[in-house]
Structures are given as C-alpha cells and as structure tokens.
Amino acid sequence: MSNDLRGVLTALSTPFNQDESIDIDTLRRIVDRSIDAGVDGVVAAGSTGEVGALSSEERLLLIDTVIKQANGRVPVIANTGATSTAEAIRLSQAAEKSGADVLMLITPYYEPLTLEETVAYIKDVARSVDLPVMLYNIPAVTGVNLDPATVRALAEEVDNIRYIKDSSANWEQALQLIHHHADVIGTFIGWDVYLYSALVEGAAGVMAGTANVVPDEIVAVSRLIAEGNLTGARELWKQLYPVIDALLSVPFIPAVKAGLSLQGLPAGSPRRPTADLNAEDQARIRQALSALNVKVG
C-alpha cells in the first residue's frame, strides 16, 4: 500500500454565482485559502461541494479548475463516483487525464445496491484507471456499508485501491480500519467531530468540510499530534470543537458557506432546493468563530 497521502484534506465547498453557475474566481480563492493554511490535499466535487447538484460536465469543470489552481502544491482528490458504472468510468478517466492525483469513488446512491453489486461497481471503475483510488463509505446516503472485511478484500484484490474515506459515523468500524487494516489501506475519517480522535488513533488522515472555514486551526491540531504534543493538540481541539459542533448541528453545506461568508469569502447560496441558513443559525456560527478569535465581518 502507498502511504503517500496523509494528513488533512479539505473537502472543498463549491461556490455559485447568483444564477447558480460555478463561481470560478471564488473557487480558486477557496483552494488557495486551504493550501496557504498548510493542508495536505484538496478534494473536488465531494459531498461538501454539492456533488449531487452538479451535472457531469460541471463536475469535470470543477475538478479541472481545482487541479490547475493547486498547480502541484498539494494532491488533488477528485470524486468521480456516479449512479452508473459507465458514467463513473467516464468521469474517472477524464479526471485522470486532467491530472488528478487520487480518485474518490462514492458508490451509487439513487437506487440502493446490494453489497455484491457495490463491490462489482468499485472493481470495474478502479480497474479502468491507473491512479490510486479512495473508496468513499457513507452508508447513510448510499444505503450500503463497506465493512472492514470487504474493504480489505477489495484492497488486496485491486492494486490501485489504496485509501478509504470512512463517513460511517461508526467509531468501532473506524478503529478496526485504522488498527487492523493499515497494512493494506489508508483510512481517512470523514466525520469532522472525530478529527482529533482519528489522528490520535493513527488514521492516515481526515477529510474535513470544516477545513474550508477553519483550515489553520485544523492543520495546527494535526501538526501538534504528529509532533507528539498531545497536550497542546488537546487544548487547541477544546477551543476548536465548538466551531465544528456549530457547523455540524445545522444543515452542513449552507453552514460551510455561511462560515466562509462571515470571513469575507462569500461562496454564494447552495443550489436549490437547499436553502441558506436562517439568521439564528448564522449567529451561532458567528459566535463560535469569534470565541476562537477568528475574525468575522
């Protein structure tokens, strides 16, 4: 297994103009914001990026823009999963051609599959490219859980399956992946409230939508843990947690956009029918950021 990809990955928000087209200029600024903070990679067209509301061509535009803006400074992970095997292969091959470093495969979520169908889909798509592949396990959306035994079997059978983003919110399962299967696959935890615990336990890293809003602080926690300064990391995490809790206690996509806007980086509204946060929820996020000494407008 390759251990090249580690650390904090930002699941990038997708900014929109008033007409709901992708705001390319702001997207570039959001990419730079995370990279300048020291993240170890950025993720294009993930769940935080409203992938379900994007057309295939918009996804490819998004991925290509992020790759060009990153310009080799950090790896770019492109979510190329789709509701059909053929479309996932098309997106994956296009992203590979554009220069993505890793492909992330969410499994089909419109029509819930059996585990056997899901495994077949993953194998077919992964084998269609040469890039490393990250599985994306989010059973609350897909209806299928990639359990640790299945993940291990996939990684052992298909050479380029190297990583998994586990967003199962099942801590026992996450610990099994981290402690029993690190010899074949690197585990990235995609549930932001587990960020500190996952890194302390030895996960390969975390993929955090909240890193759009507080990238410096998340990177600092990660670095302190890597240095063995658990006391310092725990103290900073205690200060950071209320912000992450505030962002996750309301609809997440508009929460991230509200957090960006409060810091002078307006990312537009979510795509309809998702609505902006109400004033009360925005005020709670503002208060949490202010308590962390993050400058808000």
Side-chain angles (χ1 to χ4, degrees):
M1 184 201 79
S2 169
N3 289 314
D4 294 340
L5 192 65
R6 300 191 68 83
V8 175
L9 311 178
T10 301
L12 295 168
S13 177
T14 300
F16 295 119
N17 296 303
Q18 280 194 322
D19 64 359
E20 296 195 350
S21 61
I22 296 173
D23 182 346
I24 297 296
D25 289 340
T26 301
L27 175 61
R28 292 181 179 128
R29 292 174 63 197
I30 290 173
V31 171
D32 284 344
R33 171 180 168 84
S34 272
I35 294 176
D36 290 346
V39 302
D40 301 288
V42 291
V43 184
S47 298
T48 307
E50 300 181 63
V51 63
L54 300 173
S55 70
S56 292
E57 297 316 310
E58 285 176 320
R59 289 174 69 180
L60 292 178
L61 170 63
L62 188 72
I63 290 166
D64 188 62
T65 300
V66 172
I67 290 168
K68 288 177 179 175
Q69 190 65 24
N71 195 29
R73 291 177 289 169
V74 297
V76 174
I77 299 89
N79 177 22
T80 54
T83 53
S84 75
T85 300
E87 183 64 1
I89 288 173
R90 185 179 82 85
L91 290 169
S92 297
Q93 292 177 342
E96 182 175 39
K97 186 176 181 181
S98 287
D101 297 283
V102 176
L103 301 179
M104 183 170 72
L105 295 183
I106 191 170
T107 55
Y109 46 86
Y110 180 72
E111 178 66 26
L113 304 179
T114 65
L115 182 60
E116 291 75 18
E117 289 170 326
T118 300
V119 166
Y121 158 88
I122 290 169
K123 289 179 181 178
D124 287 343
V125 180
R127 286 169 172 159
S128 74
V129 293
D130 294 324
L131 288 180
V133 167
M134 176 183 288
L135 308 178
Y136 183 3
N137 187 38
I138 182 167
V141 173
T142 64
V144 178
N145 181 47
L146 296 174
D147 62 275
T150 298
V151 170
R152 183 178 189 92
L154 279 165
E156 289 179 332
E157 183 176 345
V158 184
D159 288 343
N160 62 328
I161 293 178
R162 308 275 182 81
Y163 311 103
I164 181 169
K165 176 191 177 184
D166 187 71
S167 294
S168 67
N170 182 329
W171 186 235
E172 181 180 0
Q173 177 166 292
L175 289 175
Q176 289 175 8
L177 287 166
I178 293 167
H179 289 288
H180 298 319
H181 304 288
D183 58 323
V184 295
I185 198 158
T187 296
F188 285 79
I189 299 302
W191 212 255
D192 294 41
V193 291
Y194 291 161
L195 188 153
Y196 172 84
S197 300
L199 293 174
V200 169
E201 289 288 347
V206 293
M207 189 181 298
T210 53
N212 288 280
V213 181
V214 280
D216 296 278
E217 292 79 5
I218 289 176
V219 167
V221 169
S222 172
R223 298 293 185 264
L224 287 168
I225 292 171
E227 294 165 4
N229 184 355
L230 296 187
T231 300
R234 177 61 182 167
E235 185 58 36
L236 179 54
W237 176 246
K238 285 169 62 178
Q239 299 171 47
L240 177 59
Y241 178 81
V243 173
I244 292 179
D245 182 52
L247 291 166
L248 288 170
S249 65
V250 296
F252 187 63
I253 288 169
V256 168
K257 291 193 166 185
L260 286 167
S261 181
L262 285 167
Q263 295 177 75
L265 191 56
S269 297
R271 273 203 172 156
R272 294 174 295 173
T274 304
D276 288 315
L277 288 189
N278 61 40
E280 182 180 348
D281 290 337
Q282 290 187 45
R284 182 181 175 196
I285 292 171
R286 178 193 294 272
Q287 183 179 17
L289 287 169
S290 296
L292 189 61
N293 293 319
V294 173
K295 185 179 180 180
V296 293

